[in-house]
Amino acid sequence: MFSSYRRILSYPGTFRFSMIGLVARLPISMVGLGIVLLVSAARDSYGVAGAVSAAFMIANAGFAILQGRLLDRIGQATVLAVASVGFGLGTSLLVTSVQADWPIATSYVFAAVSGAFLPQIGSSVRARWSYVLDKPAELQTAFALEAVLDEAVFIVGPILVTLLATTWHPVAGLAVAIIACVVGTLAFSAQRSTEPPAHARAGTFGPRVEMPWRTVVPLAVVAGALGVLFGAAEVTTVAFADEQGHKAWSGGLLALWALGSLTAGIITGAIHWRSGPATRVRWGALAMACAMSPLYFVGSLPLMGVALLVAGFAIAPTMIATMSLTEEAVPSGRLTEGMAIMQTGLVMGVAPGATLSGLVVDHQGASAAYLVSVAAGVVAAVAAQLIPRSGPGVTQVTDGSTIAA
């Protein structure tokens, strides 16, 4: 089963950049929660803490696509090195502003700087795989590996930052995130043999290649809807466990959800799929909506654990297919930008999903709030049906990929 993974990791440099990338993207799952823990401890206000964390997330989403564009035009080594230093400085100043009790406005500014500079490691890693591998089946396995590593990041990161902040010092979690990001990103950008070539700015060597928006826009909507689904499900699951009198079990329930996704991701990467990624996105989005539907009817913690474990099996295959289709559809000169669009869609969907589900919890209870995730899954399924199958704007080329006509 694991021979597919051994094969792709045997290519020169692939194991090194993938594992270093794992460390470098740990802050993705640590900083938002770390800010909440730090600011709430210093200001004794979860409202202020959440607002500062939101400033970080909004800036990250707003600048991710720009950074992806710069990665394609200038190259990973330069852009990622600058981004890591900017992130380190921004986050350090954020910590200082909170600890020194500077005006809260400074904390918002430094949180935004930190989010804007957060290196787009996930997109960069996948761009490297696309550059190193030329066989679609192997690239499918590589994206599956990265999906599994993403799940590992979102399992380990929140636990690590919480333990450090609560058992050692509120600053400790963010300090580790800074170190992981700066050291990991600099080490990643130093791997020059696997770095995709930079592409000239528009106008330097002719017109810039067009983005296949007919495919990218529906995919971005799918990603955004799944972000809403994830954000809503996380908040709702915590509320459900609290209603059952065991709030501390919410982390275990969410871990089971992630475990289902991780397991499905491993299996997906080991299978040679006959269907293309567009077909798998359509079925995967529909499966996400269907998998979340039973949660409304579950009334006990053990059954909810089983239901979330099963529901998790739809996550990784859908995200892997989304990234695979992005790789096929987007021209190489704008690939990192295309990947960043998908990542941004996910990030931008989490906050409104969490907010909307929280409102439903307050008025109707946790079970009803799971319907927010179901609705988001339906939106993703509908958007997936709008992905072009054939015709104007889509051309099949000899290597089986799909590009803009």
Side-chain angles (χ1 to χ4, degrees):
M1 175 178 176
F2 295 102
S3 61
S4 299
Y5 293 98
R6 285 196 297 269
R7 184 164 55 253
I8 64 169
L9 291 173
S10 67
Y11 285 89
T14 55
F15 179 81
R16 188 164 58 250
F17 79 66
S18 183
M19 292 302 104
I20 293 175
L22 171 64
V23 175
R25 64 180 181 259
L26 270 174
I28 295 173
S29 65
M30 295 178 67
V31 177
L33 179 56
I35 290 173
V36 170
L37 294 170
L38 173 69
V39 177
S40 62
R43 298 273 181 171
D44 194 26
S45 170
Y46 279 101
V48 173
V52 176
S53 180
F56 168 84
M57 295 180 67
I58 292 170
N60 176 235
F63 283 86
I65 297 174
L66 174 60
Q67 188 180 139
R69 186 172 299 172
L70 293 174
L71 285 163
D72 287 326
R73 290 181 175 181
I74 300 174
Q76 293 185 2
T78 301
V79 175
L80 290 178
V82 172
S84 66
V85 174
F87 169 81
L89 289 174
T91 311
S92 298
L93 288 170
L94 168 61
V95 171
T96 302
S97 71
V98 174
Q99 292 296 100
D101 199 25
W102 291 354
I104 190 61
T106 61
S107 296
Y108 288 117
V109 171
F110 294 137
V113 171
S114 175
F117 277 98
L118 181 68
Q120 297 299 307
I121 296 296
S123 301
S124 298
V125 170
R126 289 172 172 87
R128 288 197 180 218
W129 280 117
S130 298
Y131 173 65
V132 172
L133 304 177
D134 55 9
K135 297 179 181 178
E138 291 184 343
L139 195 55
Q140 162 78 22
T141 301
F143 287 160
L145 173 64
E146 296 307 320
V148 169
L149 295 180
D150 281 342
E151 292 295 344
V153 164
F154 281 95
I155 291 174
V156 173
I159 295 174
L160 179 60
V161 72
T162 302
L163 285 175
L164 290 170
T166 57
T167 63
W168 187 8
H169 193 280
V171 174
L174 286 176
V176 170
I178 293 172
I179 294 170
C181 179
V182 175
V183 174
T185 301
L186 292 177
F188 179 85
S189 61
Q191 310 301 312
R192 302 302 294 271
S193 63
T194 54
E195 180 184 357
H199 297 267
R201 288 180 179 272
T204 304
F205 297 104
R208 192 176 183 213
V209 65
E210 291 293 327
M211 183 72 81
W213 295 112
R214 285 187 58 202
T215 299
V216 170
V217 170
L219 273 178
V221 174
V222 170
L226 293 181
V228 173
L229 186 152
F230 299 151
E234 288 180 0
V235 171
T236 306
T237 300
V238 173
F240 178 84
D242 193 17
E243 286 183 355
Q244 298 294 313
H246 297 283
K247 187 176 182 179
W249 288 21
S250 59
L253 291 175
L254 292 172
L256 285 171
W257 197 36
L259 177 62
S261 177
L262 188 149
T263 304
I266 294 173
I267 295 171
T268 299
I271 294 175
H272 179 67
W273 294 89
R274 294 183 178 180
S275 59
T279 300
R280 298 201 305 276
V281 170
R282 295 185 189 101
W283 283 107
L286 180 61
M288 287 293 300
C290 294
M292 300 303 292
S293 299
L295 304 184
Y296 171 77
F297 302 98
V298 176
S300 71
L301 283 171
L303 285 178
M304 183 60 74
V306 174
L308 284 170
L309 177 66
V310 173
F313 271 77
I315 298 174
T318 308
M319 295 310 305
I320 293 166
T322 298
M323 292 303 178
S324 296
L325 183 55
T326 302
E327 189 277 334
E328 285 192 357
V330 175
S332 60
R334 301 185 70 173
L335 180 58
T336 311
E337 180 185 351
M339 296 287 187
I341 290 173
M342 302 308 147
Q343 297 286 350
T344 301
L346 279 171
V347 172
M348 290 182 66
V350 170
T355 301
L356 183 57
S357 64
L359 291 172
V360 176
V361 167
D362 290 341
H363 292 86
Q364 300 293 331
S367 294
Y370 277 118
L371 295 178
V372 176
S373 293
V374 176
V378 171
V379 171
V382 171
Q385 297 302 314
L386 300 178
I387 296 171
R389 290 170 170 81
S390 60
V394 178
T395 301
Q396 295 295 327
V397 293
T398 54
D399 64 356
S401 62
T402 307
I403 60 174

